[in-house]
Amino acid sequence: MSKGLRDRASLTRRTLLKAGGAAAGAAALGGCLSSSEDGEDQVSGEVLTAFGNCWMCSHNCGQKAYVREDSSGKKTVVNLTGVDGHPRGSAGEGTEGTLCPKGLGQLDKTHDPKRIQEPHIRKNGELQKVEWEEAFQYTAERLATFKEENGSETFLDATSWAETSIFSTVWRELYGTPERISRGIHVCAGPTFVSGGMMGVGSNNRVPDYQNSEYIIAWGRNQLNSFAGQFEAKGTLEAIEKNGATLVTIDPQHTITAEKSDKWLPIKPRTDGALALAMANVIIEEDRYDEDFVENYTHGFDAYAEAAADMPPERAADITGLDAEDIRKVARGFAEAAPQAGISVWTGTAQVGNGWKATQNITALNGLVGNIDRPGGLRLWKYASTASFGEVCEQDYTNRAEFKEPAINKYDEYSDYPVRHITGIAHNLVPEMVENGHINGIVVHHDDPLKDGNADAWVEALDAMDLVLSIDAYWNGVSRNADIVLPEATQLEKDTLGTGNWSAYPKHTWVTGSKAAVDPQWNTKPDFDILVGIADAMAEETGNDDWTVFEQWDTHEDFIDDELSAIDLTLEDIDSGEVNYELVDEFEYESWEGDDHYTFNFDLDQVPPFAQAAEEADMDTAPEWIPPGTYGDELSEDYPLEFYDVRSVFFSHASNQPQERLRDQFAKRNELADEDYRGNYLHINPEDADKRGISSGDMVTVESETGSGELMAVVSERARPGFVTAEYGFGETSATPDGEGMNTMTLHHKQMDPITGQVDRHIAVEVTSSGGD
Ligand code: SF4
């Protein structure tokens, strides 16, 4: 940590002191191996413990790593467990630390020989192994030439979540690109994030206070599967057990969460917005809403009530395929339990063309019953305030992107996209921007955009770009086609800092951190070291001192310590006790009470970017019903089935990287483990399967207007009639191009939510038997 910064550090004290803090985490004797027989066989020696923070999704669940050290000092990770009391991994102290199957997969990844083991650069058309020095030097040369020939504003930063926070410093501020795809908004749950932020529940604060809830609606959300064993699943089950909470699942698919629910509403896809308005209709008509909250803390109720009046349950029943009495029952149950009633919503209702309105209508229900930041309702989250890069940096440099206008705002070609007023560039627009010459290069970190949008167009776009730089641990659609491949260490090989996150037990700000459990394997480097290596080479190549900005820190740990100085902690403090997290500050419910500035916006007419985008998209600023097909695909005689791709806890390409063990478990879950096939599956209702002569285990062809591919069929009542699903992330352009299954995004053809640019994963398809099995 730099001295000046130490002096300036604010002194927010942690509220929880470590128990037994003297224990050296990386040296304590373990002996608690429980599951990794393979690991035990691989290497003998002393077992040590260390910590990690899972990054297989972005939630930072704490890990305890069991590491065996052999006589030569080589360390091998042989087992992983959760950390009891970790704010994410368990549902609070004493509720057992666990990892979901994806998190446990880090064990396989650390020593996986299929990883990218050496830096590569493309020479004479072929990717060739080189040493790091040459790779950095070549990267700097190419970046400098690219800037000269194309302008750095045409370089796209497509970096995903990372263990270090300096990606945007390198690409935006030092290199000077204003172009960035935000993974969270454009390919995950843009409508949920953005509507939440604008309406007054925070852009990431959409998770209920499960443990205190009496009524939980899992709306297009499968939390008992997607986060099996983690806070949300434990919190939901605890609410059922301790509070006798009612669980309702609204989903076209009978998920694992639906299995545990009191009620499953098998809604027709893309009609969630109508159901939400009908619930509001019942709640308002029957005077079951929170008049005090609505009157004192909200804006736009009249416009909302008008839209709800237009959607009686009988009309919604026709639209959604549900029973009007069921709609009334769920609306009453939710309102009666409020404010101890929460809605769990995320990607399911967001990844559709009318996703913006669906999530706005659903979010509005929270304001209506006044469950905002109340026990059992929807919490307003707070994060630990660690220091930002600007605060810890003691060196002046020029922010080269600061005044550059992104192409989507600059050029007339994009004037028809309302998204430009709110979230800027959209994932699905990139190929078009490459064709127009407004994007000519890309850096992709730990991601595979070819799985998240118009895949075929993205393949062509990558091919047309002047420079493709991949920083990743695995070969995938991007790294295989890159000009430069820099092999990244995986999470247990790096120092990490997580500054708290939404969806954890919700009464503390918290930080979690760990030192690397093992050295980087093969010739790989942590992402922090890769970025600093590029910066050093750029300083040499360009002679520009701005690029020496990272010289003020010797190591990533020094940098993390500076970030932590704002809360008077160091990485050593966090890592050296019996747990690897700190609860920094406690916060109460009802943070809006007495806050004159707090407003829950039913109507977004006073949010200028939204008002402008809505006008151009021909949408209302208040909640309203927008039928399927207004944006995105319409069903037709040729393509009569609604296809939607889904994620599973057995998601074999977790964090965009392959995991064979999970694929085997996944095949077992689908009762098709005896088949050789290890790809994704087409789930189809028996009614639809019979009409097409399809049985479980048959290979089928799925075809959209623009693409097709082969999958193995699972015939099951779990999919509602007319609806078919397959899991995301397999096939050509993925991490296992030669494996079975298909990249479902090869069916996709650029449809998106016009307001946020969120990729619309809903596709009209036909399914036919491919013959044989
Ligand atoms: S929920 Fe699972 S994948 Fe996500 S951070 Fe936690 S253990 Fe890792």
Side-chain angles (χ1 to χ4, degrees):
M1 183 194 306
S2 56
K3 185 174 174 311
L5 194 88
R6 252 187 225 286
D7 295 343
R8 287 202 306 274
S10 87
L11 296 176
T12 311
R13 296 290 309 183
R14 54 194 152 147
T15 55
L16 184 83
L17 294 173
K18 280 183 174 307
L29 273 180
C32 308
L33 294 180
S34 60
S35 66
S36 184
E37 298 295 324
D38 296 350
E40 285 197 84
D41 291 346
Q42 276 169 20
V43 57
S44 59
E46 188 182 17
V47 176
L48 314 171
T49 58
F51 288 119
N53 285 285
C54 182
W55 286 84
M56 292 291 265
C57 73
S58 61
H59 282 146
N60 309 156
C61 291
Q63 296 164 324
K64 196 164 192 177
Y66 293 86
V67 178
R68 190 158 286 185
E69 184 169 7
D70 69 16
S71 50
S72 71
K74 183 177 167 20
K75 290 179 179 171
T76 305
V77 184
V78 292
N79 198 16
L80 279 180
T81 65
V83 175
D84 185 34
H86 192 280
R88 244 313 292 189
S90 72
E93 290 151 66
T95 58
E96 198 188 327
T98 45
L99 298 167
C100 80
K102 290 196 294 280
L104 283 168
Q106 289 284 5
L107 189 62
D108 296 338
K109 284 170 67 175
T110 310
H111 306 289
D112 184 351
K114 291 202 297 303
R115 281 174 48 182
I116 307 173
Q117 299 182 358
E118 307 283 343
H120 288 71
I121 61 179
R122 192 171 293 278
K123 290 183 190 166
N124 305 322
E126 297 288 322
L127 278 174
Q128 297 180 13
K129 288 178 198 168
V130 291
E131 288 304 322
W132 276 104
E133 199 182 330
E134 186 179 352
F136 285 142
Q137 194 189 346
Y138 183 72
T139 305
E141 280 166 22
R142 292 292 304 267
L143 284 168
T145 309
F146 181 92
K147 188 170 181 173
E148 221 172 273
E149 292 176 354
N150 300 291
S152 58
E153 63 277 7
T154 72
F155 195 66
L156 175 63
D157 170 5
T159 55
S160 188
W161 63 75
E163 284 79 8
T164 175
S165 57
I166 65 168
F167 273 89
S168 72
T169 310
V170 169
W171 299 118
R172 184 179 165 82
E173 299 181 22
L174 295 174
Y175 191 58
T177 178
E179 304 289 5
R180 165 150 173 74
I181 301 179
S182 154
R183 177 176 182 84
I185 288 178
H186 296 134
V187 302
C188 185
T192 320
F193 293 1
V194 181
S195 63
M198 288 182 179
M199 293 176 79
V201 294
S203 54
N204 263 343
N205 299 335
R206 59 201 175 280
V207 175
D209 182 21
Y210 291 107
Q211 287 153 294
N212 296 307
S213 202
E214 292 185 352
Y215 203 98
I216 298 169
I217 301 181
W219 201 317
R221 186 99 206 279
N222 186 8
Q223 68 244 31
L224 296 188
N225 181 22
S226 310
F227 293 106
Q230 301 309 90
F231 165 77
E232 289 176 70
K234 284 180 179 167
T236 303
L237 296 173
E238 195 179 320
I240 294 168
E241 198 181 308
K242 290 199 179 147
N243 314 335
T246 301
L247 177 64
V248 175
T249 292
I250 298 168
D251 205 308
Q253 201 181 9
H254 191 258
T255 60
I256 286 173
T257 306
E259 264 172 39
K260 304 277 178 216
S261 292
D262 297 281
K263 187 128 200 99
W264 171 46
L265 299 184
I267 192 168
K268 269 192 205 157
R270 299 189 287 177
T271 65
D272 308 82
L275 174 61
L277 280 179
M279 286 173 62
N281 175 296
V282 174
I283 294 167
I284 296 170
E285 287 274 306
E286 299 181 5
D287 266 340
R288 293 175 185 270
Y289 66 100
D290 185 334
E291 279 182 53
D292 183 58
F293 184 81
V294 167
E295 200 175 312
N296 293 308
Y297 292 98
T298 69
H299 162 79
F301 178 69
D302 290 346
Y304 176 39
E306 207 177 298
D310 200 32
M311 189 60 72
E314 280 67 24
R315 182 176 172 216
D318 280 348
I319 294 170
T320 58
L322 301 173
D323 184 271
E325 275 320 299
D326 280 346
I327 296 174
R328 285 198 172 83
K329 206 169 158 191
V330 171
R332 287 174 188 149
F334 178 68
E336 267 165 31
Q340 285 175 272
I343 300 174
S344 173
V345 63
W346 196 354
T347 54
T349 58
Q351 296 182 352
V352 293
N354 57 358
W356 175 275
K357 275 299 151 183
T359 59
Q360 190 183 3
N361 296 357
I362 292 167
T363 304
L365 285 168
N366 294 301
L368 186 62
V369 301
N371 69 358
I372 311 296
D373 214 17
R374 283 176 159 153
L378 197 71
R379 285 237 62 185
L380 298 184
W381 234 258
K382 291 189 175 58
Y383 295 82
S385 309
T386 51
S388 66
F389 186 83
E391 288 165 322
V392 298
C393 178
E394 296 192 336
Q395 188 172 314
D396 286 336
Y397 64 89
T398 308
N399 180 340
R400 292 192 175 74
E402 204 170 7
F403 301 107
K404 286 186 184 167
E405 204 177 356
I408 194 165
N409 300 112
K410 197 163 151 188
Y411 298 106
D412 286 347
E413 282 95 327
Y414 313 108
S415 58
D416 284 344
Y417 292 110
V419 55
R420 74 193 188 285
H421 297 297
I422 296 183
T423 59
I425 189 174
H427 184 97
N428 274 354
L429 284 184
V430 171
E432 188 178 328
M433 296 175 96
V434 172
E435 209 178 317
N436 294 338
H438 299 145
I439 287 178
N440 296 308
I442 192 169
V443 52
V444 184
H445 166 245
H446 196 72
D447 209 344
D448 185 355
L450 311 184
K451 292 200 311 242
D452 281 320
N454 33 351
D456 292 336
W458 262 91
V459 172
E460 282 171 30
L462 280 185
D463 203 39
M465 286 183 198
D466 278 358
L467 177 59
V468 178
L469 168 56
S470 168
I471 303 172
D472 212 314
Y474 278 86
W475 294 107
N476 61 23
V478 177
S479 49
R480 284 196 305 274
N481 292 294
D483 298 294
I484 303 166
V485 182
L486 304 179
E488 191 190 2
T490 60
Q491 169 247 314
L492 287 162
E493 302 158 78
K494 305 179 195 182
D495 294 342
T496 65
L497 173 67
T499 55
N501 212 325
W502 57 276
S503 98
Y505 72 109
K507 59 182 182 181
H508 285 99
T509 58
W510 52 279
V511 290
T512 184
S514 61
K515 295 184 188 178
V518 292
D519 290 336
Q521 304 293 289
W522 299 286
N523 197 11
T524 66
K525 283 184 188 291
D527 41 1
F528 184 86
D529 295 1
I530 291 175
L531 293 173
V532 172
I534 292 173
D536 289 348
M538 283 299 277
E540 195 143 313
E541 176 71 26
T542 63
N544 189 316
D545 281 349
D546 281 5
W547 285 101
T548 62
V549 69
F550 303 113
E551 283 179 8
Q552 59 194 298
W553 298 283
D554 287 337
T555 62
H556 191 203
E557 183 172 352
D558 287 346
F559 175 69
I560 290 174
D561 282 349
D562 269 5
E563 291 179 295
L564 282 168
S565 62
I567 49 175
D568 195 25
L569 282 171
T570 64
L571 189 60
E572 178 75 26
D573 291 338
I574 302 177
D575 184 79
S576 61
E578 305 215 330
V579 295
N580 65 335
Y581 65 91
E582 292 283 349
L583 305 181
V584 177
D585 214 351
E586 194 153 1
F587 52 91
E588 300 299 322
Y589 292 100
E590 298 189 358
S591 55
W592 43 263
E593 183 95 70
D595 178 354
D596 294 342
H597 301 295
Y598 181 79
T599 306
F600 181 91
N601 282 310
F602 289 115
D603 194 341
L604 293 166
D605 54 345
Q606 294 181 19
V607 183
F610 178 72
Q612 202 164 352
E615 189 184 335
E616 288 177 23
D618 203 17
M619 280 185 191
D620 206 334
T621 52
E624 67 169 338
W625 164 236
I626 294 184
T630 310
Y631 307 103
D633 276 10
E634 271 185 278
L635 298 184
S636 64
E637 222 170 89
D638 289 341
Y639 302 105
L641 295 170
E642 302 230 17
F643 173 89
Y644 190 90
D645 64 0
V646 295
R647 299 184 189 202
S648 152
V649 78
F650 296 123
F651 179 48
S652 65
H653 303 108
S655 220
N656 304 302
Q657 295 156 355
Q659 295 190 84
E660 277 167 25
R661 195 194 313 206
L662 295 189
R663 276 191 290 181
D664 285 344
Q665 290 177 21
F666 184 52
K668 276 186 204 148
R669 162 85 187 154
N670 284 291
E671 295 172 8
L672 289 167
D674 291 343
E675 304 280 349
D676 289 338
Y677 181 87
R678 286 292 179 271
N680 44 348
Y681 299 93
L682 193 275
H683 301 255
I684 184 167
N685 184 275
E687 201 179 289
D688 296 318
D690 286 353
K691 269 189 225 160
R692 293 165 174 80
I694 293 168
S695 309
S696 274
D698 287 354
M699 294 307 293
V700 295
T701 301
V702 191
E703 187 189 328
S704 74
E705 209 179 317
T706 52
S708 69
E710 269 212 337
L711 292 171
M712 182 172 278
V714 175
V715 179
S716 160
E717 297 277 358
R718 284 177 180 272
R720 85 184 303 289
F723 179 66
V724 289
T725 64
E727 297 77 17
Y728 149 112
F730 290 74
E732 198 192 348
T733 79
S734 78
T736 50
D738 307 323
E740 284 130 330
M742 70 182 283
N743 176 355
T744 48
M745 284 292 104
T746 52
L747 300 169
H748 182 89
H749 45 95
K750 202 183 158 187
Q751 61 271 36
M752 60 182 153
D753 173 340
I755 300 290
T756 61
Q758 164 71 52
V759 171
D760 170 5
R761 303 186 87 100
H762 231 279
I763 305 169
V765 299
E766 178 55 294
V767 177
T768 48
S769 170
S770 306
D773 55 29

